[in-house]
Amino acid sequence: MYEERRSARVPAVVWSRTAGVRQERVLPDGCTDLIWDGTELFVAGPDTRAHRPDAPPGTRYTALRFPPGTGPAVFGVPAHELRDRRLPLAALRPEAEVRRLAERVAGAADPAEVLERAAAGALRGAGPADPRRAAVVAGLRAGLTVAEVAERAGLGVRGLHRLSLTAFGYGPKTLARILRMNRALDLARGGRPLAETAALAGYCDQAHLTREVRALAGLPPALLLAPPPSG
């Protein structure tokens, strides 16, 4: 069972899930997560490919999902150091600090609230967010070229690439592919035919959509969006 809501304290989605026998495929989305699995706090970095969690059935997760560009301020490291990795939070933050946070989370009636407060404190300590990061994400979501996004952000193409590695974990072209794939999948989940989805999301055609989704998610969209088998 999966549930999510918007955090009222930090720019993040609060989510919870109980692992079943059939593990769900976690798709690249440019986000970074702080996750409590009942025994340990760990960080899931921005992915370039689909991830299949390996946890015993019944494992209960409580987590915060930070949008692209926010993770480095929370965890204090460039996003490219977290790319395609799952790391204990104690590998990034002082061990004593993480131990105290884990004790508070374990003893809380609402573990998510403890995580939200901790994240809010980390963001306050990191100072104001770089507005260029939001501008880059908005431009790529709008389908602008890398050169156009760089110009709007007041950067050269190389400067945009360096900023993107630090903020998002990968270059702007990869981020654009991931954002476009997720937009397409949202459209398809809403009932759009794949050919129409491809056109609306900015793909050349349905075959282009299929190749991109297979490359990033590991399955073609028809299989990825199929309902799970009963039983």
Side-chain angles (χ1 to χ4, degrees):
M1 181 180 179
Y2 176 85
E3 297 177 331
E4 68 174 39
R5 62 172 173 82
R6 286 283 176 188
S7 171
R9 296 181 181 275
V10 290
V13 170
V14 180
W15 62 267
S16 61
R17 182 174 69 85
T18 301
V21 175
R22 179 180 180 271
Q23 294 288 354
E24 295 296 326
R25 186 179 296 262
V26 180
L27 304 184
D29 58 7
C31 299
T32 307
D33 295 57
L34 173 60
I35 304 173
W36 169 250
D37 66 0
T39 59
E40 184 182 27
L41 289 163
F42 66 98
V43 177
D47 291 324
T48 59
R49 57 187 180 273
H51 172 71
R52 298 296 291 269
D54 182 17
T59 300
R60 179 68 175 175
Y61 296 102
T62 302
L64 302 181
R65 179 182 302 115
F66 300 100
T70 305
V74 176
F75 303 116
V77 296
H80 63 80
E81 294 186 12
L82 304 175
R83 183 177 57 234
D84 291 322
R85 302 180 72 185
R86 270 70 183 156
L87 292 172
L89 182 60
L92 307 175
R93 307 294 296 178
E95 186 174 348
E97 172 190 317
V98 174
R99 183 173 61 251
R100 290 192 296 270
L101 177 58
E103 289 171 352
R104 294 200 302 273
V105 174
D110 183 0
E113 183 180 5
V114 179
L115 295 181
E116 289 176 274
R117 289 181 182 275
L123 288 171
R124 284 194 299 270
D130 185 343
R132 296 176 301 178
R133 299 183 179 191
V136 169
V137 173
L140 294 175
R141 280 194 170 129
L144 300 183
T145 67
V146 169
E148 290 170 335
V149 171
E151 182 178 2
R152 288 195 176 192
L155 295 164
V157 172
R158 290 184 179 179
L160 173 61
H161 189 78
R162 289 192 295 269
L163 173 70
S164 295
L165 289 178
T166 299
F168 312 120
Y170 22 64
K173 289 185 178 180
T174 298
L175 179 60
R177 292 176 64 205
I178 288 169
L179 294 175
R180 181 171 60 175
M181 178 193 72
N182 280 280
R183 178 167 184 257
L185 293 175
D186 285 343
L187 289 168
R189 291 187 187 104
R192 301 273 188 179
L194 288 180
E196 183 181 354
T197 290
L200 290 172
Y203 293 95
C204 297
D205 52 28
Q206 185 176 335
H208 184 203
L209 165 66
T210 297
R211 289 194 302 272
E212 282 288 278
V213 172
R214 187 192 294 273
L216 293 169
L219 288 174
L223 288 179
L224 193 64
L225 297 167
S230 60

